[in-house]
Amino acid sequence: MDTSEILKKVRKIEIKTRGLSQNIFAGQYHSAFKGRGMAFSEVREYQFGDDVRDIDWNVTARFHRPFVKVFEEERELTVMLLIDVSGSLYFGTSRQTKRDVATEIAATIAFSAIQNNDKIGVIFFSDRIEKYIPPKKGRKHILYIIREMLDFKPESNKTDVAMATAFLTQVMKRRCTSFVISDFYDRKDFSKEIEIANRKHDVIAIQVYDPRAKMLPDVGLMKVFDAETGHEMYIDTSSSKLRRAHTRYWLDREETLKHTFSRSKVDWTAVATNEDFTRSLMMLFKQRA
């Protein structure tokens, strides 16, 4: 993709996703994520009914009467996007690939964040940390992120969600809101690492999938390719047994994901490449408000 083509795509995504974040998500984003953290504001004298756990013992000792700490909502959040750039994200049987949809979702969240004066950063991951962009504010920073999402060439095609969430825990010292955007085609268990990350941060998972992952069409002999392993094979989709087995595999996998996120207390939504992602995001934001 040459520079002029990238800039055109960046502009197109900016127009679409900034409009969505302004017209649809502005209030929902604020109510879903603001006020999750509390920052120390000032001290005042203790009043009847105050929580004794809020007493500032240093100030109390200095003035010989009890003072309590007053907290207020943190007005500024740090938002981290953990974006899967592994080989499987390039798959798509409808008008968009999984990576196209992931890019639009990430851009919408990013524009929602800067409207609320929040910082936004990115971790591109495969089975390694491909790139880390530290959190910053501003439109220029977001356009740089979108450009990277469109043109980024990963070194690896494989996926390791556990490694990515462990890196988040390590690199982000202060609490942040983190969106993991992936198809979650990961052969390893990542439940422990995502649970640890969610204890320190506020982690939200957004699964992007292609409808053919759920249900195979009956089109006879089909060549399939695993973008993460490079393995190719032919399958006979006219076999109802094979199609049922494919759907069963999908349902079992979804049940495992659901259990993982539920146990880790991670909010989660799934978006198909042939669906409008705004509805899924709105429902996710509303359930958190």
Side-chain angles (χ1 to χ4, degrees):
M1 206 186 296
D2 61 34
T3 306
S4 62
E5 196 180 342
I6 290 169
L7 290 174
K8 275 184 196 171
K9 282 202 165 192
V10 169
R11 183 67 182 141
K12 189 177 175 184
I13 287 174
E14 182 193 8
I15 291 166
K16 179 179 178 180
T17 57
R18 188 168 62 174
L20 285 173
S21 63
Q22 285 173 341
N23 300 326
I24 301 173
F25 294 116
Q28 290 293 339
Y29 171 91
H30 187 277
S31 58
F33 303 107
K34 289 292 179 180
R36 295 271 160 172
M38 302 296 285
F40 170 69
S41 174
E42 59 186 11
V43 294
R44 61 165 171 75
E45 281 199 57
Y46 178 86
Q47 296 172 3
F48 179 75
D50 285 340
D51 191 332
V52 294
R53 290 173 296 184
D54 291 336
I55 291 175
D56 187 319
W57 295 106
N58 290 330
V59 178
T60 296
R62 196 181 314 147
F63 290 97
H64 306 292
R65 59 184 188 275
F67 279 79
V68 292
K69 294 176 183 176
V70 178
F71 296 87
E72 62 178 16
E73 287 184 9
E74 286 185 318
R75 297 301 173 196
E76 181 183 288
L77 288 177
T78 297
V79 177
M80 288 300 299
L81 302 172
L82 280 70
I83 302 173
D84 185 350
V85 290
S86 63
S88 60
L89 268 288
Y90 288 89
F91 180 73
T93 59
S94 59
R95 55 192 175 83
Q96 296 188 105
T97 66
K98 289 185 276 186
R99 184 158 177 177
D100 293 333
V101 175
T103 298
E104 289 195 0
I105 291 171
T108 302
I109 293 167
F111 279 114
S112 298
I114 62 161
Q115 280 182 58
N116 282 276
N117 202 34
D118 296 334
K119 293 178 183 175
I120 188 101
V122 177
I123 297 167
F124 290 118
F125 72 93
S126 55
D127 63 346
R128 65 193 71 181
I129 300 303
E130 296 279 355
K131 184 163 189 166
Y132 168 54
I133 302 174
K136 283 174 67 176
K137 292 183 185 180
R139 177 178 172 270
K140 187 177 176 184
H141 179 62
I142 287 181
L143 294 182
Y144 165 63
I145 288 171
I146 296 171
R147 196 164 64 243
E148 284 295 296
M149 285 192 281
L150 286 170
D151 199 42
F152 191 78
K153 305 287 190 297
E155 289 182 22
S156 174
N157 285 323
K158 296 178 180 176
T159 309
D160 192 333
V161 176
M163 177 275 314
T165 48
F167 179 79
L168 171 75
T169 305
Q170 177 192 345
V171 79
M172 297 302 294
K173 303 304 178 190
R174 293 187 62 192
R175 183 174 173 82
C176 68
T177 298
S178 310
F179 294 87
V180 185
I181 306 171
S182 173
D183 58 7
F184 294 99
Y185 276 123
D186 192 339
R187 288 168 173 80
K188 295 195 290 293
D189 179 28
F190 55 83
S191 55
K192 180 184 172 187
E193 287 78 6
I194 206 166
E195 186 175 352
I196 291 168
N198 196 41
R199 278 193 220 129
K200 183 178 180 182
H201 304 294
D202 182 13
V203 178
I204 301 102
I206 300 175
Q207 180 194 15
V208 180
Y209 71 93
D210 188 273
R212 291 290 176 250
K214 188 186 289 190
M215 194 172 292
L216 277 177
D218 181 358
V219 291
L221 210 59
M222 178 191 283
K223 185 179 182 181
V224 292
F225 173 71
D226 188 327
E228 301 211 357
T229 64
H231 180 66
E232 288 183 353
M233 65 183 292
Y234 283 91
I235 58 172
D236 183 6
T237 62
S238 63
S239 166
S240 58
K241 185 179 177 183
L242 182 136
R243 294 198 307 274
R244 282 196 305 272
H246 178 84
T247 300
R248 172 47 54 196
Y249 171 77
W250 163 266
L251 292 171
D252 288 347
R253 195 175 153 272
E254 289 301 285
E255 194 58 38
T256 300
L257 270 182
K258 186 178 178 181
H259 178 69
T260 296
F261 294 135
S262 174
R263 192 175 60 191
S264 307
K265 295 182 171 57
V266 168
D267 290 328
W268 167 54
T269 191
V271 180
T273 55
N274 63 342
E275 293 175 350
D276 180 2
F277 68 83
T278 57
R279 190 165 167 268
S280 296
L281 279 194
M282 284 289 283
M283 286 175 67
L284 176 69
F285 288 5
K286 278 179 180 174
Q287 79 183 42
R288 292 172 55 87

